[in-house]
Amino acid sequence: MAGHFEATPGGGAAVALDEVEIAILRSLAVQLLELIGPGDEPAEDADPLAALFAEGPSEPPSDPALARLFPDAYGDEDKETREASAEFRRFTEIDLRGRKREDALVVVRTLDALQPVGEEGAVLTLDAEDCRHWLGSLNDLRLTIGARLEVSDEDEGQGGSLYRLPDSDPRKPMVMAYLWLGALQETLVETLMPE
């Protein structure tokens, strides 16, 4: 179980994490929350129907990592597709940000609830719903780090440049985190696949 998720009864998954891995995952999830930003919580007396149709931004984010997390729906080939993307973004980005925020919060909360066992770390056990949140957050973390590293399709394969970085390269720690998150994500997906 060390280093990869395994299926648990009831559609969940479990993984053994050491203290360093727990700290890294928590730190990355908190940074993701900071990047996404605070939510616009409706007032208690707000009309729920009005909140459902609240308008968000119509322009894509200027930050490359946020642009990767919240891409244009239809591209920007011409004026018509740019307008359609802007319209789609206005009515979906607030909800999408909320879901990404919720996913990252579940990661932080489940990690905070762990009971470490000495220096060995702890076993993180997730139910089916937590697995969904973790999958979303692992994906968002990889997209964010990939955007910061400017990862291309050619960089990712087993022979790609990400695997050949010298230890002296300042990107090496983030590349290692990116690859590790990918392995965690892959094993979590595998545990949730029907046999």
Side-chain angles (χ1 to χ4, degrees):
M1 181 185 305
H4 64 276
F5 280 97
E6 293 182 7
T8 60
V15 63
L17 299 169
D18 65 32
E19 287 183 17
V20 173
E21 292 168 328
I22 293 167
I24 290 170
L25 281 167
R26 188 181 191 292
S27 174
L28 290 172
V30 167
Q31 290 176 56
L32 180 62
L33 284 166
E34 291 170 356
L35 179 67
I36 293 169
D40 295 327
E41 298 298 323
E44 284 185 34
D45 60 345
D47 178 9
L49 190 56
L52 183 62
F53 292 103
E55 292 186 23
S58 59
E59 294 295 318
S62 59
D63 180 316
L66 283 173
R68 187 67 179 104
L69 290 174
F70 306 104
D72 275 334
Y74 305 110
D76 64 353
E77 295 84 44
D78 57 39
K79 184 180 180 199
E80 188 174 314
T81 57
R82 283 191 299 275
E83 288 173 356
S85 286
E87 186 73 5
F88 185 81
R89 179 180 300 281
R90 275 190 19 213
F91 293 106
T92 60
E93 188 169 315
I94 289 175
D95 184 53
L96 185 56
R97 278 182 186 265
R99 280 187 277 139
K100 290 179 181 300
R101 192 177 303 106
E102 182 182 354
D103 290 346
L105 281 170
V106 168
V107 170
V108 171
R109 289 178 182 142
T110 55
L111 291 172
D112 285 350
L114 281 177
Q115 299 297 318
V117 183
E119 292 181 22
E120 293 118 36
V123 174
L124 173 71
T125 303
L126 305 172
D127 62 25
E129 181 68 16
D130 288 342
C131 286
R132 186 190 66 74
H133 291 293
W134 267 76
L135 272 176
S137 200
L138 288 171
N139 187 59
D140 291 343
L141 288 169
R142 288 193 75 239
L143 289 173
T144 301
I145 293 171
R148 294 286 188 243
L149 293 170
E150 299 178 352
V151 173
S152 68
D153 291 341
E154 295 80 41
D155 296 327
E156 287 225 36
Q158 286 293 341
S161 63
L162 289 180
Y163 292 90
R164 296 189 308 267
L165 281 179
D167 290 342
S168 60
D169 192 308
R171 299 172 298 162
K172 184 80 175 214
M174 288 310 295
V175 167
M176 296 304 294
Y178 177 81
L179 296 173
W180 175 58
L181 291 169
L184 279 176
Q185 183 181 16
E186 182 178 346
T187 62
L188 183 52
V189 168
E190 288 170 0
T191 66
L192 301 175
M193 298 292 287
E195 292 183 18

